[in-house]
Amino acid sequence: MTFDDLRRPPNVSGTPSVVQSLRAQGGRAVPFSVEFNPPRDAAAEARLWRAVREFERMHPAFVSMTYGAGGSTRDRTVRVTGQLAQETILLPVAHLTAVGHSVAELRSLVGAYADSGIKNILVLRGDPPGDPLGEWEKHPQGVAYAEELVRIVRDLGDFHVGVASFPQGHHRSPSLEHDTEFLAAKLRAGAEYSITQMFFDVEHYLRLRDRLAAFDPVEAEKPIIPELMPVTSLRTVARAEELCGRPLPGHVLERLHRAAGDGSEENRAAVREVGIEIATEMGQRLIDEGAPCLHFITLNFAKATSEVLTNLGYGVTAAPLSA
């Protein structure tokens, strides 16, 4: 593929955008969506596809596929996201991160997505490989900010772009006001919606909406999609804190640790039950507050998310196989 090929608008017309898909969910008060991770080996890939097929019958508004730090899962991400587009009825959203890539490599990746019929891309600056909280370094021929990457993707063709938003502020932002300015800049550059970083206090999401509405009422009209993860063990608490870059709220940790008990081994069944309760409570509050969609981190399992959706009144008609 030549540079001139990449500059031509790719043939991805006819694929709905995320925003169009959200609007099309007429039979459901609030749509939901899910996030998958690229598999590391054959066994993990089999598990992923079991989850994919289970979610496929639940009709999420879209599904997203993450992208490893520094492009560590680039090939698998591109391949599996392409398979989602070509072999399922799901609407896939491909993650694309700036870290570790030149502009030429980024354009090539966008071209690869286009070749697979993928029109929706979630643009992220990305975390440094090995240490998500470490020092961020720009590739010598790359970009420094997600805003620049939004413009690159939009210039390459008929793509629909989303970005990240941070209910508690990005950990590298000096203030919430500064973080709000960056979010508005990404939206002004052409992003059509944002998906939040995972959080465990709905008030943080509501205050994010308020800050953006006060700073830029026009861009605040674009969907801000909250991201949730049902906690199923204390091990996933640690994973959640790593993904958030922040500790979980004290009242959430207290409930989970109380469920775990004081024994040498945690009561995983009780922790899981409380984790489902917390995610359900958050989901209902977000629905009541007018969230445009509920986006679930699944870790490539379907059962926990399915249980939360059932609790919220979604029409999940059969228990999925995976945990």
Side-chain angles (χ1 to χ4, degrees):
M1 182 177 294
T2 68
F3 177 77
D4 287 339
D5 291 328
L6 292 171
R7 294 298 299 181
R8 296 189 194 112
N11 183 23
V12 289
S13 60
T15 303
S17 70
V18 163
V19 173
Q20 288 171 333
S21 183
L22 296 181
R23 291 172 179 165
Q25 305 289 308
R28 182 182 295 152
V30 176
F32 79 95
S33 56
V34 297
E35 177 181 292
F36 299 125
N37 303 109
R40 295 175 182 238
D41 53 36
E45 184 152 357
R47 186 178 75 234
L48 165 65
W49 281 99
R50 286 195 298 272
V52 166
R53 296 308 178 187
E54 288 160 5
F55 280 115
E56 193 171 21
R57 65 180 174 76
M58 301 180 203
H59 304 290
F62 65 92
V63 300
S64 68
M65 178 63 66
T66 65
Y67 191 89
S72 57
T73 63
R74 179 180 65 183
D75 293 342
R76 288 194 299 275
T77 296
V78 172
R79 175 177 61 81
V80 176
T81 311
Q83 288 177 282
L84 290 173
Q86 297 165 5
E87 300 175 17
T88 77
I89 62 171
L90 300 169
L91 176 66
V93 176
H95 286 213
L96 181 68
T97 66
V99 65
H101 291 312
S102 68
V103 170
E105 289 172 332
L106 292 167
R107 287 176 172 145
S108 178
L109 283 166
V110 174
Y113 285 136
D115 288 343
S116 296
I118 295 166
K119 182 177 184 177
N120 293 282
I121 297 180
L122 185 70
V123 163
L124 309 160
R125 190 168 80 155
D127 294 320
D131 181 6
L133 302 181
E135 190 67 26
W136 199 93
E137 294 185 7
K138 173 182 173 292
H139 187 284
Q141 287 82 45
V143 298
Y145 298 105
E147 175 190 352
E148 300 170 84
L149 188 48
V150 171
R151 297 184 191 280
I152 288 172
V153 175
R154 291 299 303 269
D155 286 347
L156 284 172
D158 184 22
F159 291 100
H160 294 277
V161 179
V163 293
S165 51
F166 300 89
Q168 295 173 266
H170 192 280
H171 64 271
R172 293 187 177 88
S173 290
S175 67
L176 289 175
E177 293 72 22
H178 186 268
D179 190 77
T180 305
E181 292 177 17
F182 268 80
L183 174 56
K186 292 187 288 188
L187 295 169
R188 289 169 183 166
E192 300 173 5
Y193 64 94
S194 72
I195 299 177
T196 73
Q197 186 182 53
M198 177 174 43
F199 58 91
F200 285 86
D201 188 334
V202 174
E203 288 299 320
H204 292 314
Y205 170 80
L206 300 178
R207 299 295 77 78
L208 166 64
R209 289 198 317 192
D210 292 344
R211 289 194 303 273
L212 185 60
F215 183 78
D216 192 325
V218 173
E219 299 302 329
E221 293 296 316
K222 296 177 178 178
I224 302 176
I225 299 171
E227 183 175 71
L228 308 174
M229 187 178 80
V231 170
T232 56
S233 69
L234 294 185
R235 181 179 179 182
T236 58
V237 169
R239 178 62 174 152
E241 292 183 335
E242 178 185 347
L243 291 171
C244 288
R246 307 206 181 248
L248 270 63
H251 64 91
V252 172
L253 287 173
E254 181 182 358
R255 287 176 67 179
L256 293 169
H257 282 288
R258 188 166 59 244
D262 298 325
S264 58
E265 295 187 7
E266 70 175 280
N267 185 337
R268 290 196 60 178
V271 171
R272 187 183 186 282
E273 181 178 356
V274 170
I276 298 296
E277 288 176 1
I278 291 169
T280 300
E281 293 163 7
M282 292 181 64
Q284 188 59 61
R285 175 84 189 280
L286 289 162
I287 290 170
D288 294 342
E289 294 285 355
C293 180
L294 302 180
H295 187 65
F296 290 90
I297 295 176
T298 69
L299 303 179
N300 296 353
F301 291 100
K303 190 174 181 182
T305 298
S306 173
E307 289 182 24
V308 175
L309 291 171
T310 299
N311 292 344
L312 292 171
Y314 291 76
V316 179
T317 56
L321 299 174
S322 55

